[in-house]
Amino acid sequence: MEGIPPIEPFKAKLSELDEQMQAPDFYSDQRNAAVMSRKHQKVSKLIELYEDLLGAVQELADSREMLADPDMDAELKEMAEAEIAPLEEKIEQLKEAVLVAMIPPDETDDRNIVMEIRAGAGGDEASLFAADLCRMYQRFAERRGWSIEPMSASESETGGFKEVTFLLKGEEAYKTLKFESGVHRVQRVPVTESGGRIHTSTSTVAVLPEAEEVDISIDPNELEITVARASGPGGQGVNTTDSAVQILHKPTGLIVNCSDERSQLKNKAKAMAVLRARLLQRKQDEEHTKYAANRKSQIGTGDRSERIRTYNFPQSRITDHRINVTVHSLDQFLDGDILAVVEGLLEADNQDKVDALLSGHVEV
């Protein structure tokens, strides 16, 4: 069909999945069974949409044939003519749905996410902005019914965060927020500024898919683990045991700190979760480098060094520079009402992937 890649490879994929799912030991590996079942469901939906598209195309052809038939009753011709515009619209919608359904899924889209936010340029103001971003994402998570699990935090003297890491657990969390990685810039008058001058500060956000142990193999001999007494504000809440954990991954030089829990074992487990997520991200980046180099990236690389969004307080304006979208509801946005921009980024990414699909740069 014109404008649609061949459906045959997808039908062959469905047959292959059917055969695998009928194997006697299919459910012996529950994780793999769940992955394969989701793939089967996705390809089945694609085939169903494609069949609906074929049906609509045939209906349109029949209506046009009736309209062109000189012997056709006038009333029937009128009915056929009335059906043409709705059918044309339906076909365009089905074509778009089929193309989107043909996009290969990201295997980590349904993962929970580890989110790391760090103060960048701007000193205390940057740390306060990092705290604003932390609250924004956590409010967004609450709105969607996701759970939030603190992992580590380093507070500034002004009450902001030098850096903060937390886990967001929810349906398609990574798919939803993966394009939030990058440099977020704020323009506002700091509370410490007596002259009313606007300052520009930045914070960086990294969104990492939560890695499972089967994703990344870590040799314990390549880790250097140190413990220390967790710092605190004083009083009875101060941790009096050596519970803060730092893990150095020698091959990559990655360092992870965790002191959120009173238990050393819990802090170590959380630190390992962050380390696995960072290593998985590195692995994915390496695998995607060649693909990313061959396609136009409409929404950017997602790299934390890339400036992606500006928050302008004097004008209550948020601008996402990748899709050139501006909204004028800064207070609501910082309160977690970010869905419109998030969906815009996902739509832009889908269009980018559809373009790659039509150019033959995507495999089934």
Side-chain angles (χ1 to χ4, degrees):
M1 181 179 296
E2 184 179 356
I4 300 289
I7 195 66
E8 285 71 23
F10 296 94
K11 290 184 175 180
K13 184 66 175 178
L14 185 62
S15 297
E16 178 187 329
L17 290 168
D18 281 334
E19 186 176 343
Q20 291 175 351
M21 292 178 68
Q22 290 170 8
D25 60 345
F26 176 71
Y27 290 100
S28 60
D29 184 340
Q30 291 293 328
R31 180 175 177 274
N32 182 66
V35 171
M36 299 298 286
S37 296
R38 284 194 295 270
K39 286 182 178 179
H40 186 276
Q41 185 177 21
K42 178 179 172 62
V43 181
S44 295
K45 180 62 177 177
L46 165 60
I47 303 300
E48 181 182 330
L49 285 169
Y50 189 83
E51 294 298 330
D52 289 344
L53 174 58
L54 289 180
V57 168
Q58 184 60 52
E59 284 184 55
L60 180 62
D62 292 343
S63 296
R64 285 174 172 167
E65 185 179 345
M66 290 174 63
L67 200 60
D69 187 346
D71 299 326
M72 186 62 63
D73 180 79
E75 186 176 347
L76 290 177
K77 279 192 173 186
E78 186 177 343
M79 292 173 59
E81 187 174 11
E83 290 176 349
I84 288 177
L87 280 170
E88 288 176 336
E89 183 179 354
K90 181 180 180 181
I91 287 169
E92 288 306 309
Q93 291 174 346
L94 284 170
K95 277 187 175 181
E96 182 178 352
V98 167
L99 286 170
V100 171
M102 283 182 167
I103 296 171
D106 185 332
E107 298 295 339
T108 56
D109 272 354
D110 61 347
R111 299 284 183 92
N112 300 322
I113 56 177
V114 175
M115 181 166 279
E116 300 177 332
I117 303 173
R118 290 184 173 84
D124 288 339
E125 174 63 11
S127 72
L128 291 172
F129 181 48
D132 290 338
L133 292 176
C134 176
R135 180 180 182 276
M136 179 181 80
Y137 290 120
Q138 293 188 358
R139 287 285 294 122
F140 176 75
E142 290 168 359
R143 288 168 180 257
R144 297 182 74 84
W146 296 353
S147 64
I148 305 162
E149 184 178 321
M151 303 192 82
S152 67
S154 174
E155 297 183 8
S156 66
E157 294 180 357
T158 53
F161 288 118
K162 296 177 183 176
E163 61 180 75
V164 58
T165 303
F166 49 91
L167 180 68
L168 295 182
K169 296 181 177 181
E171 184 178 357
E172 294 190 330
Y174 183 67
K175 177 182 180 180
T176 305
L177 292 179
K178 60 185 174 183
F179 298 121
E180 293 302 298
S181 289
V183 176
H184 295 242
R185 182 176 66 173
V186 63
Q187 296 171 329
R188 64 184 174 187
V189 179
V191 292
T192 56
E193 172 58 57
S194 57
R197 291 175 300 178
I198 296 173
H199 287 226
T200 298
S201 306
T202 63
S203 291
T204 60
V205 174
V207 181
L208 312 175
E210 185 184 25
E212 299 176 2
E213 291 190 28
V214 294
D215 296 320
I216 297 293
S217 177
I218 300 177
D219 184 349
N221 295 320
E222 296 178 342
L223 301 178
E224 183 179 303
I225 302 176
T226 55
V227 296
R229 184 159 297 178
S231 60
Q236 293 181 350
V238 174
N239 199 331
T240 57
T241 62
D242 293 336
S243 62
V245 173
Q246 175 178 288
I247 299 178
L248 166 64
H249 186 245
K250 297 175 185 177
T252 61
L254 288 174
I255 298 176
V256 179
N257 296 282
C258 190
S259 58
D260 189 68
E261 300 284 350
R262 290 172 177 260
S263 162
Q264 184 185 123
L265 287 175
K266 289 183 179 180
N267 281 328
K268 181 181 177 183
K270 286 188 174 184
M272 286 297 295
V274 174
L275 177 61
R276 279 195 297 270
R278 290 187 188 174
L279 290 173
L280 177 60
Q281 186 69 59
R282 280 198 173 203
K283 178 181 176 182
Q284 290 179 321
D285 288 345
E286 291 170 0
E287 292 173 350
H288 293 167
T289 295
K290 183 177 180 181
Y291 170 69
N294 290 332
R295 71 178 178 93
K296 174 188 173 186
S297 183
Q298 188 172 353
I299 53 83
T301 63
D303 188 88
R304 70 185 69 187
S305 64
E306 179 185 10
R307 189 194 71 182
I308 63 169
R309 190 175 298 146
T310 296
Y311 303 70
N312 184 291
F313 273 67
Q315 299 180 25
S316 187
R317 184 186 71 222
I318 308 99
T319 301
D320 195 288
H321 304 291
R322 298 160 296 177
I323 54 176
N324 197 27
V325 167
T326 296
V327 294
H328 294 272
S329 53
L330 190 142
D331 288 342
Q332 293 94 318
F333 198 87
L334 287 175
D335 192 46
D337 188 11
I338 66 175
L339 187 60
V341 174
V342 165
E343 288 181 339
L345 289 163
L346 291 172
E347 289 173 8
D349 182 57
N350 273 344
Q351 185 58 55
D352 201 13
K353 289 176 177 176
V354 165
D355 291 344
L357 185 71
L358 292 174
S359 64
H361 290 155
V362 175
E363 296 181 359
V364 176

